[in-house]
Amino acid sequence: MEYRRTAVIKLDTPEGADAHLWETVEQFKYCANTASEWCWHGDDGYHVTSKAKAEQALYDQLREETELTANLVQKGIRRAVEAVKSGVERLKNGQDTSRPTFTADTAVYDKRSATFHRDHVSLSTPDGRIECEYILPDDAEKPPTTYVTDEDYAFRRATLHRRDGDWYL
């Protein structure tokens, strides 16, 4: 049986990285909100819930309108499609809902847009890659240190977010 663990990891960002990370999340939100608007199609009852259809329709436009890598654009579109699917389910169950809007300062990374190491990460941004060291608890037996340093655990994806003035994965 495969187990999945989530570890919240504080990042030690190099000087000047903050602006690049902010730009990344702003452009990521733009992709997600643009896709959400396109997928929702108003209140006519028709909503696009196919990731492939949304990507086919929006990918080229969003690549041109942003400076994000291909994978980050795709992740933004996919995030929107998943939220629209959730909204459609709410509608089917007779619940009120509206078009998803993305306001949280986040961006979703996987192995194609981030290179995960045991002590640091390299993140794709519109201005190139930024390498950030992990800030981990000293106790090697406690999460997240256990999950990050133990070779039995593999990195799959991460959500970059800002909390209390610091960046986290």
Side-chain angles (χ1 to χ4, degrees):
M1 177 179 278
E2 182 178 308
Y3 294 99
R4 292 185 184 206
R5 299 286 184 261
T6 300
V8 178
I9 303 168
K10 187 175 181 178
L11 299 177
D12 182 12
T13 56
E15 190 172 327
D18 202 51
H20 302 298
L21 296 174
W22 275 117
E23 187 60 28
T24 303
V25 298
E26 287 302 317
Q27 290 187 28
F28 186 87
K29 288 189 301 187
Y30 175 79
C31 288
N33 283 314
T34 300
S36 175
E37 186 175 344
W38 186 86
C39 291
W40 197 254
H41 284 290
D43 295 323
D44 62 1
Y46 177 73
H47 308 290
V48 176
T49 58
S50 163
K51 292 175 190 173
K53 187 172 185 178
E55 281 185 26
Q56 183 178 13
L58 296 169
Y59 175 79
D60 290 336
Q61 170 194 337
L62 292 173
R63 281 285 285 158
E64 191 172 304
E65 293 175 354
T66 68
E67 299 170 288
L68 295 177
T69 61
N71 184 256
L72 286 171
V73 168
Q74 290 170 328
K75 289 289 186 191
I77 294 169
R78 291 174 186 173
R79 175 168 269 192
V81 170
E82 287 303 315
V84 168
K85 280 183 186 179
S86 179
V88 168
E89 283 303 311
R90 289 180 59 82
L91 291 172
K92 285 180 183 176
N93 293 329
Q95 298 171 310
D96 286 336
T97 193
S98 60
R99 178 179 64 83
T101 304
F102 299 90
T103 59
D105 294 322
T106 64
V108 178
Y109 284 88
D110 67 10
K111 292 179 186 180
R112 292 173 289 175
S113 53
T115 304
F116 300 100
H117 301 277
R118 295 292 162 189
D119 60 346
H120 72 283
V121 65
S122 173
L123 300 171
S124 175
T125 74
D127 298 302
R129 290 208 163 242
I130 293 178
E131 292 200 3
C132 303
E133 300 288 324
Y134 301 141
I135 300 174
L136 298 169
D138 291 333
D139 187 345
E141 300 300 316
K142 289 190 176 180
T145 305
T146 303
Y147 305 135
V148 173
T149 59
D150 188 334
E151 295 287 332
D152 289 338
Y153 294 100
F155 296 97
R156 296 191 189 284
R157 62 188 157 149
T159 301
L160 176 70
H161 64 278
R162 180 108 170 155
R163 181 175 49 186
D164 300 327
D166 293 306
W167 291 100
Y168 291 83
L169 286 181

